[in-house]
């Protein structure tokens, strides 16, 4: 039931904003961005299906061939090979799966965690709000990379830890945003009305307030998706990312770093993949932001 | 609108420049400098100039400032310029070690377990006090208290007796063959008695207490940035030719090398093999020598008790390919648990790569499809992570499943030491005393401190104990040969390879001493100049 | 303080400890472990450790690095100075590029230049920082040999890391200032000024810039943490001895006093910056009430 309400809220935003679709079709950059993002999703989907139906096995991207290491781009290996002789193109395609996985899971964690805290703080107000806001402020001004680093080290490196660390590190943004939105929203008449007819607090929050603030949260989630990818890369670079032989783009770059001088392709191409995906997501995010609720802009530049 | 067009043109120009730069960098690569042609003419007078400041970059910062606590090569290389030992090791061109008296003037054997030593006179500590037999006694008593290495190295000493100011006797617990080798290891360096007494059971806590008898004084330390040593004016030995040495820690390999190329430092150590040709082409000197460090994958014997499975693991891994491709030749396949230049080494029949045989053995033992947890550090040893990835692939090719966990060092070493929740772990061990005792006893003796495989073989224990107490060299060698045969057969390791040491430095630098025990001595480095 | 406590718990929860790290491949002798744990107070309950730590800080004693005995306060101050130089330089670069581009953008909205600038801005914050840094090292330090590849020491050493950070942060500034400039441009007095035929450049610089400065100050203040995150990575890539890489290194070495000292110091700086931003906000735009900016 609840999720249905969210979906309805989101759908309402998407459908009532016909301008959005119209704008999308008119803008070349956005079109390119959209196709890159969809392409990544598609690659992730296909590779997942292939792996699950066991049409291909893990060894396609993980199998090593030491004699073929660090080959420059050629017909056989369009993007060359890495330090263990694995085909870069194959690894980048399979890497899409990891990228999408990281995005979906870590952003979900961040949204759920952050929004819950923010909603409650904003709704309850008073001292709870004050304390939560202070903590969130502190967390946000603190170099989150160090926090994420500590989390990964405690949990032990691996994809799960990276996802959790990103989720936690990105949660404060959602807490701050939803807190601000709720604080404004709860003054509205419809909330008063719902209270008057005896709706419970949880019902008011979930059923009435949440759908109304879903737009800005969605925009933020878009931006967080792009930073999740950058996070993953940064953690891998610092040596605390996912475990080999996972074909994560961040890990690929981190591993290629040592061979940057003799085989620059091994670091250039995964870097480009990250850059293009992040850039595309951000472009779409900008577009979404421009088209959605103007209140959001006001809030982000002030709070 | 005209100005907007101008902006547009400007932006396009910027884009072109950026694309051009990327293209330049990517497609043209570096227009390598033509290899330097050196044509030393016969009449060119060559002069050697002393050096005011020498900058060297290692891959790690000091891990501690206490020489008796330190165990890692980077730290010991720095402190090796500050402290001195009773004996010192020298290597000839073939890498064969000889041990010569250093702080010791002379020594005599009174009987198998009693030796008398006489110190050189006129040796001064950096605080101006003379070196006496009391300092030796205090150092040797404190060492085993605070340090794991001195505990192993000085474990044979029962008592240090001071005879007079410059004379002392060592009472041994048992006749000890490798004594001189042990007394030349930097961890047995002599520190002032007063410092030893001040910190009887804990590391020193300030650089003010870094006081040795060596050619250099400890001048400055900035964590993670640099360590500075300066020549000690009252040094007893030959006058150093380098006035000041700055040690810059740079953990990342590529960054370290680029610092040499950019001229920011004069020497870089631990150069990864992929840079060797690049640096040579640019005219830098590159020295590559075998080290006494063996890299192995320890097998948790408790979890893999079947020796046939352990042997199969050895067969499954193509060591030759790892050395050839991943190390790019910067190493050699291990032919024993210790390096050939170590006393007592005995060559074993290699586990020749044979995937089919390995798969068969794994299947026969009922281990097919089992999952092994394999933990490895990264950046600690040459290409450690790559090796782990390759080993994973090799083992999976013979029907096992392997979960690799790459960990940062602190978490890794504490897990290897305290937990036993893994099957395989990658480590390295340098037999820095160049004697088999050090390379075998504490690794393979039951219950020994670094026997992290939990390996236990009563016969090996007996042989190692006997070899320790044997002073006849030939007999010792025989005991070690037998022990190595058994260890090799029991296979508590996947025996991988011996690492090479690669050090690169500026073209005209000469007389840098690079030892196979991963130690570099810069004291007498000079710049070679051809006038005219 | 709360932050410090969280970090305190978190760092102590890390597997491994400084004593083990010091001994490399070896196990520390048990007596040494005991003596050191006593010296460092590691043998007490966590809460007591924390209280003692806070007490010592209040007395001005920041402790010493476990392995090498360097005074934490001295270390932190030196490293912070380095980071400050880097931060100021990169913020200056980012602000300069960001503002100039925003001006061009806002001057003729929806022109081709504007579109390109907007794409460039998005691109700016889509770059993986370390990748970008490495590319710059490769091009300028290794191939062209124009600039040193890192370390600290004068302006030359600062250029590459500052440009790295500056380039990844100008986009956000450009975007925010473009938005606020556009908003200001719709104000009557600007429209009037432009209509009167006042010099365009003059209008832009005097009216629009001045009014657009508030959100920019805010964004710099707000994004200080992000900047610090970028600094950690940039410092690591360039081997630049700032406070970020110091904290990172000492987390890896489990050098507790240095980690806590560094984080405490960063916390204090962040609070100060926030306060300064508030004050600045108040002065630049007196209409804003102080308590409202801090929600």
């Amino acid at each position: 039931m609840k999720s249905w309400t969210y979906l309805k809220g989101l759908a309402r935003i998407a459908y009532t904003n016909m301008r959005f679709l119209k704008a999308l079709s008119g803008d070349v950059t956005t079109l390119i961005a959209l196709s890159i993002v969809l392409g990544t999703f598609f690659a992730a989907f296909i590779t997942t299906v292939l792996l699950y139906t066991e049409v291909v096995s893990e060894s396609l991207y993980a199998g090593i061939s030491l004699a073929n290491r660090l080959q420059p781009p050629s017909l056989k290996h369009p993007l060359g090979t890495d330090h263990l002789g694995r085909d870069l193109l194959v690894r980048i395609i399979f890497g899409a799966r990891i990228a999408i996985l990281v995005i979906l899971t870590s952003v979900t964690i961040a949204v759920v965690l952050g929004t819950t805290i923010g909603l409650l703080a904003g709704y309850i107000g008073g001292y709870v709000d004050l304390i939560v806001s202070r903590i969130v402020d502190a967390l946000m001004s603190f170099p989150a990379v160090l926090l994420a680093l500590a989390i990964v080290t405690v949990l032990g490196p691996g994809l799960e830890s990276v996802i959790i660390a990103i989720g936690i590190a990105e949660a404060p943004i959602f807490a701050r945003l939803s807190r601000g939105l709720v604080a404004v929203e709860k003054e509205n008449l419809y909330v008063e009305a719902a209270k008057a007819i005896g709706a419970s607090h949880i019902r008011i929050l979930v059923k009435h307030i949440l759908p109304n603030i879903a737009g800005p949260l969605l925009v933020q989630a878009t931006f967080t998706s792009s930073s999740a990818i950058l996070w993953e890369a940064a953690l891998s670079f610092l040596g605390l990312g996912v475990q080999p032989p996972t074909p994560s783009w961040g890990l690929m770059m981190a591993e290629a770093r040592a061979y940057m001088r003799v085989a620059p392709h091994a670091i250039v191409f995964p870097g480009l993949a990250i850059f293009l995906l992040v850039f595309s997501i951000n472009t779409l995010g900008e577009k979404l932001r421009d088209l959605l609720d103007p209140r959001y802009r006001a809030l982000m530049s002030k709070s | 609108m005209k100005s907007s067009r101008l902006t547009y043109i400007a932006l396009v120009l910027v884009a072109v420049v950026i694309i051009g730069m990327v293209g330049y960098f990517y497609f043209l690569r570096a227009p390598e400098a033509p290899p330097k042609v050196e044509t030393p003419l016969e009449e060119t007078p060559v002069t050697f100039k002393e050096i005011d400041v020498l900058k060297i970059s290692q891959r790690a910062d000091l891990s501690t400032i206490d020489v008796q606590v330190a165990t890692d090569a980077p730290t010991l290389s720095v402190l090796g310029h500050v402290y001195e030992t009773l004996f010192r090791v020298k290597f000839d061109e073939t890498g064969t070690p000889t041990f010569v008296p250093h702080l010791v003037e002379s020594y005599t054997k009174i009987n198998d377990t009693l030796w008398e030593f006489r110190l050189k006179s006129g040796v001064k500590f950096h605080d101006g006090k003379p070196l006496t037999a009391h300092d030796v006694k205090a150092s040797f008593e404190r060492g085993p208290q605070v340090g794991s290495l001195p505990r192993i190295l000085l474990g044979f000493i029962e008592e240090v007796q001071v005879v007079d100011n410059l004379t002392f006797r060592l009472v041994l617990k048992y006749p000890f063959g490798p004594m001189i080798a042990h007394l030349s290891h930097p961890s047995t360096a002599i520190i002032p008695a007063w410092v030893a007494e001040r910190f009887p059971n804990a590391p020193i806590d300030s650089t003010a207490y870094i006081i040795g008898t060596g050619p250099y004084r400890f001048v400055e330390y900035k964590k993670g940035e640099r360590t500075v040593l300066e020549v000690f004016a009252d040094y007893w030995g030959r006058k150093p030719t380098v006035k000041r040495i700055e040690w810059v820690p740079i953990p990342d390999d590529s960054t370290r090398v680029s610092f040499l190329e950019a001229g920011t430092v004069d020497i870089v150590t631990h150069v990864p093999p992929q840079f060797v040709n690049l640096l040579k082409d640019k005219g830098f000197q590159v020295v590559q020598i075998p080290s006494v460090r063996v890299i192995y994958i320890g097998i948790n014997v408790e979890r893999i008790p079947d020796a046939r499975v352990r042997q199969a693991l050895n067969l499954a891994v193509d060591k030759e390919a790892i050395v050839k491709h991943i190390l790019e030749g910067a190493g050699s396949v291990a032919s024993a648990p210790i390096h050939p230049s170590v006393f007592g080494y005995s060559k074993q029949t290699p586990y020749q790569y044979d995937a089919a045989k390995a798969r068969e053995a794994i299947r026969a033992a009922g281990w097919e499809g089992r999952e092994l947890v394999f933990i490895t550090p990264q950046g600690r040893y040459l290409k450690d992570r790559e090796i782990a990835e390759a080993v994973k692939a090799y083992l999976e090719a013979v029907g096992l499943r392997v979960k690799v966990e790459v960990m940062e060092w602190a978490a890794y070493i504490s897990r290897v030491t305290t937990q036993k929740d893994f099957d395989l772990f990658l480590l390295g061990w340098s037999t820095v005393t160049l004697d088999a005792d050090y390379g075998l006893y504490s690794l393979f003796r039951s219950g020994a401190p670094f026997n992290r495989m939990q390996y236990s073989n009563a016969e090996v224990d007996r042989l190692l104990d006997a070899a320790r107490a044997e002073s006849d060299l030939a007999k010792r060698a025989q005991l070690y040969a037998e022990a190595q045969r058994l260890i090799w057969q029991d296979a508590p390791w996947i025996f991988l390879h011996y690492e090479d040491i690669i050090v690169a430095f500026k073209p005209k630098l000469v007389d840098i001493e690079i030892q196979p025990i991963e130690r570099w001595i810069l004291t007498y480095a000079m710049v070679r100049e051809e006038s005219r | 303080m709360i932050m410090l406590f969280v970090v305190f718990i978190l760092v102590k929860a890390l597997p491994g400890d400084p004593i083990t790290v010091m001994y490399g491949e070896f196990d520390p002798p048990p007596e040494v472990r005991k003596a050191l744990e006593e010296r460092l107070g590691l043998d007490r309950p966590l809460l007591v450790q924390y209280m003692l730590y806070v007490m010592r800080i209040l007395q001005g004693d920041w402790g010493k690095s476990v392995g090498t005995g360097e005074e934490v306060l001295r270390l932190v101050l030196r490293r912070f100075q380095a980071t400050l130089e880097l931060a100021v330089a990169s913020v200056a670069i980012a602000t300069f590029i960001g503002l100039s581009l925003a001006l061009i953008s806002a001057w003729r909205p929806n022109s081709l230049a504007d579109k390109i600038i907007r794409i460039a801005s998005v691109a700016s914050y889509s770059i993986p920082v370390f990748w970008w840094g490495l590319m710059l090292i490769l091009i300028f330090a290794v191939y062209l040999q124009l600039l040193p590849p890192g370390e600290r020491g004068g302006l030359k050493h600062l250029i590459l890391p500052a440009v790295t950070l500056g380039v990844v942060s100008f986009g956000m500034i450009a975007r925010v200032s473009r938005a606020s400039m556009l908003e200001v441009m719709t104000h009557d007095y600007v429209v009037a000024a432009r209509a009167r035929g006042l010099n365009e450049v003059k209008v832009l610089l005097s009216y629009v810039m001045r009014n657009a400065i508030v959100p920019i100050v805010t964004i710099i203040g707000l994004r200080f943490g992000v900047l610090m995150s970028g600094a950690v990575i940039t410092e690591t890539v360039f081997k630049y001895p700032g406070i970020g890489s110091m904290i990172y290194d000492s987390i890896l070495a489990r050098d507790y006093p240095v980690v806590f000292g560094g984080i405490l110091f960063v916390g204090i700086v962040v609070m100060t910056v926030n306060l300064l931003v508030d004050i600045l906000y108040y002065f630049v735009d007196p209409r804003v009430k102080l308590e409202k900016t801090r929600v």
Side-chain angles (χ1 to χ4, degrees), chain A residues 124-293:
Chain A
I124 299 169
Y127 277 107
V128 177
D129 186 23
L130 196 71
I131 292 168
V132 171
S133 301
R134 286 291 148 165
I135 294 177
V136 167
D137 277 352
L139 278 172
M140 277 192 74
S141 46
F142 182 74
V145 71
L146 296 175
L147 193 68
L149 207 74
I151 295 173
V152 176
T153 323
V154 171
L155 297 178
L159 190 57
E160 301 85 1
S161 319
V162 170
I163 288 169
I164 294 172
I166 298 173
I168 294 178
E170 289 284 336
I173 297 180
F174 288 97
R176 173 183 285 191
L177 180 62
S178 53
R179 188 212 142 271
L181 291 166
V182 171
V184 176
E185 206 70 27
K186 75 172 178 192
E187 308 295 330
N188 278 354
L189 262 182
Y190 71 90
V191 176
E192 293 295 322
K195 264 188 197 160
I197 61 165
S200 75
H201 289 306
I202 293 183
R203 192 180 161 80
I204 293 175
L205 265 180
V206 173
K207 194 126 200 233
H208 298 280
I209 294 183
L210 201 53
N212 275 297
I213 63 170
L217 287 178
L218 182 69
V219 173
Q220 185 55 48
T222 317
F223 287 120
T224 305
S225 308
S226 60
S227 29
I229 296 292
L230 292 178
W231 271 112
E232 192 271 312
L235 286 175
S236 289
F237 167 73
L238 294 174
L240 292 163
V242 302
Q243 292 291 343
T246 317
S248 113
W249 295 338
L251 183 65
M252 290 166 73
M253 277 204 283
E255 291 185 330
R257 182 187 184 192
Y259 303 97
M260 194 166 79
R261 298 290 298 285
V262 279
H265 63 269
I267 192 166
V268 168
F269 291 124
L272 275 178
I274 290 189
F275 173 70
L276 284 179
L277 181 60
V278 171
F279 175 76
S280 305
I281 297 177
N282 279 339
T283 307
L284 293 185
E286 295 286 335
K287 207 78 199 174
L288 261 181
R289 186 218 307 269
D290 288 352
L291 294 171
L292 283 179
D293 210 330

Side-chain angles (χ1 to χ4, degrees), chain B residues 8 25 30 64-65 71 145-146 148 151 203 205 221-225 249 264 380-381 408 417 450 452, chain C residues 22-23 25-27 29 31-32 39 64 67-70 78-79 112 138 143 149 151 239 241 252 254-255:
Chain B
Y8 173 57
F25 135 73
T64 168
I65 47 173
T71 61
Q145 291 297 312
V146 297
S148 310
R151 179 163 293 199
D205 66 356
Y221 172 70
K222 286 184 174 174
K223 192 178 177 60
E225 292 175 60
T264 319
R380 182 82 180 184
Y381 309 111
E408 41 99 26
T417 311
F450 311 116
R452 289 162 174 139
Chain C
M22 220 191 289
Y23 282 83
E25 273 89 348
F26 297 76
D27 300 336
E31 309 85 58
V32 179
R39 190 201 275 175
K64 283 174 165 188
T68 52
E70 194 169 8
R78 186 177 70 236
R79 291 302 195 92
L112 188 58
L138 210 49
Y143 290 163
E151 238 193 344
K239 169 84 189 79
L252 289 188
R254 307 290 188 269
D255 199 339

Side-chain angles (χ1 to χ4, degrees), chain A residues 27-37 280:
Chain A
D27 185 337
V28 185
T29 325
T30 319
L31 263 184
I32 295 173
L34 193 65
S35 46
I36 289 175
V37 172
S280 305

Side-chain angles (χ1 to χ4, degrees), chain B residues 205-366:
Chain B
D205 66 356
S206 156
T207 53
Y209 300 110
I210 304 182
I211 298 167
T213 59
Y216 291 92
R217 288 181 304 120
F218 197 94
V219 184
E220 183 191 61
Y221 172 70
K222 286 184 174 174
K223 192 178 177 60
E225 292 175 60
R226 59 181 185 162
T227 305
V228 181
L229 306 180
E230 258 173 22
V231 119
F232 173 47
D234 283 343
Y235 182 57
W236 60 274
R238 191 188 138 199
K239 197 170 165 291
T241 52
V242 178
K243 292 205 175 60
R244 182 181 164 99
I245 309 177
E246 296 187 16
W247 306 75
V248 186
I250 306 178
D252 179 70
D253 291 338
S254 339
T255 313
R256 195 165 55 246
V257 171
S258 66
F259 269 57
L260 176 69
E261 288 177 85
T264 319
V265 297
D266 305 303
I267 306 169
V268 289
T269 68
H270 299 105
V271 177
Q274 67 267 28
F275 289 104
V276 168
N277 286 333
L278 207 95
L279 288 173
K280 277 186 181 161
D281 288 347
K282 286 192 162 184
F284 290 101
Q285 304 183 67
V286 182
V287 174
Q288 180 169 348
I289 58 161
S291 80
V292 293
R293 176 184 275 165
V294 57
I295 302 295
Y296 65 92
I297 294 172
I299 302 173
N300 188 342
V301 175
E302 296 279 301
R303 294 187 26 155
I304 308 183
D306 190 340
R308 285 171 309 157
V309 175
R310 298 197 299 265
Q311 287 160 359
L313 296 181
N314 271 286
L315 291 173
V317 177
D318 189 352
K319 279 88 53 182
E320 306 277 346
I322 290 178
V323 167
K324 185 173 167 210
H325 297 296
I326 297 185
L327 298 181
E328 300 184 23
S332 48
V333 175
S335 50
I338 47 176
H339 189 267
S341 68
V342 173
F343 172 81
Y345 159 84
S346 152
K347 189 170 165 36
Q348 306 297 317
T349 330
Y351 284 101
Q352 202 65 44
Y353 173 58
D354 190 339
K357 206 169 148 193
R359 192 179 302 116
E360 191 46 49
I362 299 266
R363 188 178 300 144

